[in-house]
Amino acid sequence: MKRIEKLALIGFMFSMLSTTGWAQSADDKYGKEPDECKTQLSLYREVFKQKNYKDAYEPWKWVKENCPMASKNIFANGPDILEYKIKEAGDDTALREQYIKELFDLFDLRIKCYPQDEGYALGRIGIYLYKYYAKKEYQRIYDVLGQSIDLDGEKTSAQVLDVYFKASENKMKLDKLPTEIMIDAYDKITDVLNSQIDTCELKHEASMRAIYKLREDLDSGVVTPDEYAVIYEERAADSAKTAHAWKQYINVSNNLDLRFSKYAQCDVLMDIYGKKFESNKTDERLLKQIIKFFAKQGCTDNQLFSDAVEAFYQIKPNANLAFNMARINMKKKAYSAALNYLNEAISMYEKESDKITAYIIMIECQKQLNQYSAARETAYKILKLNPNDGRAYMLIGDLYAGSAGACSGLDIPGSVYWAAVDKYNKAKAIDPSLAEDAQKRISSISGRFPAVSTYFQLGLKKGDSYRVGCWINETTTIR
């Protein structure tokens, strides 16, 4: 569909800008009055930097109308200036509407000057339409934001995705539509949202790996303390930036999940997808929807979920499907099969967090198969990916504490609990958020420490070192 037709579909009151002579040529970006354009541009920028939006308005408006290609800041700063004017208009409805219209015209002008920004501009139009005319223009908002997502795809901002879901709710309620519209909206949003979350997470993981590597370089003498300080500041700033972007999408995802949950209870999903699945078990889009929605809503014990996972895995195996196949086999207590699927998932996963999640499940399978040494090795793989993940030490501690029966032939029965406490303390040290859980575990097993008489007769006393044998083979402290 041509852009003009798209704007007509939106139905917004975009007026043709007055022919004041601004040039669209990159060679003539300052318009017919270049000296005046530069003067007005400088004037507005100076007061804008001081957040003096009142005095910035007139020179900004002159530049916008006469030489809008002079600087892209005209479009970046304009919304702040115009929102100030809208607020300043107060109860003067006519004046307020005038500035609101000018705000929307600004985005139309942005599309004319920078056609590549159309998706972004339409997204901002939809957001401001929702802000000022949420119910009155609900259909336009729904259309504009949907179009913005279609155009921008994975570049769509978190705010656009969030407001699109709200607009879908308005449309459903005002048009009295079935809840399937919310499922469709959620499906459209989460494809983009999940992609952005993955992208942001991968960038953050890369920034954290750079910090871990820098610490290693400091310890090994590759960089001096002074060099470390300078480089660390840069890498920490990059890490904070990537973490912020990731958090924005995570927050929107969490809020969407909460709002979506009331429209897609397990019984509702069964009603919608049960018959569809029976009539077409090879429709990839259908299978993907079933798996995504049932997983989000915690309906994974449902047989339809298992059937969809197995059907999709046969058609197009991937990391997430292999992981879900592992979970299904765990429920069947087919732990060896589950391990095979987990290894397959880990080999395909890109994100460290996904690999770590799979490793945690793998440890449980190995524990059920009495593969304690293998389980500990898996826990250390977690630490190799993230040295600050205290859960790995918690899991090793659980393995040690849980193997008291298997290690009953030790010289000091129960010494496995001392080794377990070492790991729980290590978990607390590297991850304070685990301190409470770790302490609870320590308190729980302290009553099972060996009696003093047990090690006293071996010539040992509290505080001495003792090597715990069995499969553990680690030196601990007698307590």
Side-chain angles (χ1 to χ4, degrees), residues 85-99:
K85 299 298 286 185
I86 292 166
K87 185 177 181 180
E88 186 184 47
D91 295 331
D92 188 335
T93 304
L95 186 59
R96 186 172 182 272
E97 290 295 317
Q98 174 188 318
Y99 289 128

Side-chain angles (χ1 to χ4, degrees), residues 92 103 114 183 254 266 283 303 319 331 441 449:
D92 188 335
L103 176 63
Y114 302 97
I183 293 176
N254 291 338
C266 294
D283 184 331
Q303 187 59 43
K331 290 174 185 175
R441 284 173 165 80
F449 284 172

Side-chain angles (χ1 to χ4, degrees), residues 64-76:
K64 179 196 68 169
E65 291 179 348
N66 292 276
C67 50
M69 294 290 285
S71 169
K72 205 168 186 178
N73 283 326
I74 295 161
F75 302 100

Side-chain angles (χ1 to χ4, degrees), residues 236-407:
D238 181 57
S239 177
K241 182 179 178 181
T242 56
H244 176 72
W246 183 22
K247 185 177 180 181
Q248 280 189 309
Y249 284 101
I250 287 289
N251 288 341
V252 169
S253 179
N254 291 338
N255 290 333
L256 284 177
D257 287 348
L258 286 174
R259 296 206 302 270
F260 176 68
S261 62
K262 62 184 176 183
Y263 299 114
Q265 300 298 327
C266 294
D267 56 341
V268 174
L269 292 174
M270 272 299 300
D271 288 342
I272 293 173
Y273 290 106
K275 292 180 180 178
K276 290 182 180 180
F277 177 75
E278 288 303 322
S279 62
N280 193 350
K281 297 182 179 182
T282 58
D283 184 331
E284 292 185 21
R285 186 172 185 276
L286 174 64
L287 295 173
K288 184 179 177 182
Q289 286 181 329
I290 293 172
I291 294 166
K292 177 167 66 174
F293 296 144
F294 278 58
K296 281 285 187 183
Q297 295 302 95
C299 310
T300 53
D301 287 334
N302 193 296
Q303 187 59 43
L304 179 56
F305 173 79
S306 297
D307 291 344
V309 170
E310 292 178 5
F312 203 2
Y313 182 83
Q314 295 302 320
I315 298 170
K316 188 181 290 185
N318 61 38
N320 287 329
L321 288 172
F323 178 80
N324 279 311
M325 287 293 289
R327 297 299 295 267
I328 290 169
N329 277 275
M330 279 189 71
K331 290 174 185 175
K332 297 177 182 177
K333 298 186 178 181
Y335 300 113
S336 293
L339 284 175
N340 290 332
Y341 285 117
L342 287 168
N343 279 316
E344 183 180 348
I346 290 165
S347 70
M348 291 187 283
Y349 274 138
E350 292 184 37
K351 294 192 301 179
E352 291 173 1
S353 61
D354 286 334
K355 291 182 180 182
I356 289 172
T357 299
Y359 281 138
I360 290 171
I361 303 299
M362 180 177 283
I363 290 169
E364 179 59 29
C365 290
Q366 291 166 328
K367 183 179 178 181
Q368 292 294 331
L369 293 169
N370 295 320
Q371 298 174 359
Y372 293 108
S373 294
R376 178 173 58 187
E377 185 179 340
T378 301
Y380 281 119
K381 288 178 181 178
I382 293 174
L383 290 167
K384 189 173 182 181
L385 290 173
N386 183 359
N388 295 324
D389 196 329
R391 291 176 300 174
Y393 287 112
M394 292 284 280
L395 289 166
I396 296 173
D398 292 345
L399 289 169
Y400 288 179
S403 61
C407 297

Side-chain angles (χ1 to χ4, degrees), residues 142 145-146 148-150 153-169 181-197 249 251-257 259-260 285 288-289 292-293 296:
Y142 178 79
L145 291 175
S148 173
I149 295 170
D150 290 340
E154 295 182 0
K155 296 186 297 179
T156 305
S157 72
Q159 189 179 12
V160 167
L161 298 173
D162 187 45
V163 177
Y164 177 71
F165 193 80
K166 293 176 182 177
S168 301
E169 283 185 296
I181 186 176
M182 300 310 301
I183 293 176
D184 290 340
Y186 186 81
D187 188 37
K188 184 185 185 82
I189 291 168
T190 51
D191 281 347
V192 177
L193 194 58
N194 291 339
S195 176
Q196 278 288 10
I197 288 173
Y249 284 101
N251 288 341
V252 169
S253 179
N254 291 338
N255 290 333
L256 284 177
D257 287 348
R259 296 206 302 270
F260 176 68
R285 186 172 185 276
K288 184 179 177 182
Q289 286 181 329
K292 177 167 66 174
F293 296 144
K296 281 285 187 183

Side-chain angles (χ1 to χ4, degrees), residues 132-144:
Y132 296 116
Y133 310 112
K135 291 187 178 179
K136 181 181 177 182
E137 301 289 351
Y138 73 92
Q139 183 64 53
R140 292 178 189 171
I141 298 167
Y142 178 79
D143 290 339
V144 170

